[in-house]
Amino acid sequence: MKRRIFLAAMLPAALAACAQKVWDSDEEVRAARFVSSEPPSITLLTVIGIPRGEGGHSGLMVNGSQRVIYDPAGSWEHPRIPERNDVLYGITDNFKNFYIDYHARRTYWVAEDTVFVSREVADAAIRAVESQGASPKSYCAVNTGRALSRVPGFENAPTGFSPIRLRNWFLTLPGVQSKRHMDGDPANNHDVLLRQKDGRIVGYNM
């Protein structure tokens, strides 16, 4: 797997130039494909600071014809998870847990907000994140909102830089279901990172 590298920049135009494209092979993407038995859904994942409540990161998990995570300008990676420009494939329950544990720590918690949709809408969301392209640093909420705005029923998604503003809008959608993920023990989080680094999948039942 390639590592994405982002260079610091001050101007939006310069930021756009520092988005590094990652494009793993068709074979890797096909081999990793995971189809969940859960109903089709779109889930906004928001990393929120403790204790001030500031937004640290936005991403989307989409469960349709397959389950993917859109992680714009994110840093999570795993040797068994192929990526194409911020879209992560092969998101089993185990890898979903890895992703959440990576972000949940003493200084951050993770909001998991889910809206159940039709299979057609979920697949439209997958196409939307796949077409968004690689994201420059700090554009997680911007590009998550942009991708959502191309999905039927989500056209009014805000496209600013605030993960909290995006989440507040998402919470107004009909039928949203929310979960709160906390991790008060940084050692547990660090252990997950070590397990991922050498490619082993341990710590959760598959």
Side-chain angles (χ1 to χ4, degrees):
M1 290 290 166
K2 307 177 185 70
R3 288 183 177 272
R4 71 190 88 177
I5 299 174
F6 295 105
L7 303 177
M10 295 298 293
L11 299 176
L15 278 170
C18 72
Q20 178 159 332
K21 296 181 179 179
V22 178
W23 195 263
D24 287 319
S25 70
D26 291 346
E27 292 76 13
E28 289 175 293
V29 171
R30 280 195 297 265
R33 181 186 181 96
F34 173 72
V35 180
S36 171
S37 61
E38 296 178 354
S41 62
I42 296 175
T43 298
L44 179 66
L45 298 165
T46 310
V47 182
I48 300 174
I50 301 171
R52 292 182 296 171
E54 72 277 13
H57 187 59
S58 294
L60 281 180
M61 183 171 66
V62 184
N63 185 39
S65 57
Q66 60 179 316
R67 188 159 70 187
V68 305
I69 285 179
Y70 176 54
D71 191 35
S75 58
W76 185 82
E77 60 182 16
H78 191 282
R80 299 192 193 180
I81 294 294
E83 175 189 345
R84 286 186 169 179
N85 289 345
D86 298 329
V87 181
L88 308 171
Y89 296 87
I91 304 301
T92 63
D93 293 343
N94 188 59
F95 281 121
K96 172 192 170 183
N97 288 335
F98 274 149
Y99 180 88
I100 290 172
D101 277 355
Y102 175 85
H103 293 93
R105 57 199 71 183
R106 180 166 293 174
T107 51
Y108 288 96
W109 64 280
V110 177
E112 178 185 350
D113 301 308
T114 300
V115 173
F116 293 102
V117 297
S118 68
R119 171 73 172 271
E120 291 74 21
V121 170
D123 285 346
I126 292 175
R127 292 192 297 271
V129 298
E130 287 177 329
S131 66
Q132 185 60 47
S135 299
K137 189 174 181 181
S138 301
Y139 271 60
C140 59
V142 172
N143 285 352
T144 298
R146 286 175 178 171
L148 277 172
S149 69
R150 298 196 299 274
V151 179
F154 297 80
E155 293 91 346
N156 293 324
T159 57
F161 284 90
S162 170
I164 297 299
R165 179 169 176 250
L166 179 60
R167 183 184 184 231
N168 287 341
W169 169 83
F170 199 90
L171 289 173
T172 68
L173 296 173
V176 63
Q177 297 184 12
S178 299
K179 294 180 181 178
R180 183 183 182 104
H181 300 278
M182 307 285 293
D183 186 354
D185 185 354
N188 287 342
N189 180 267
H190 185 60
D191 190 35
V192 170
L193 298 183
L194 289 175
R195 291 168 181 171
Q196 293 184 84
K197 187 175 182 180
D198 69 5
R200 290 181 294 134
I201 305 178
V202 294
Y204 296 98
N205 294 324
M206 292 299 291

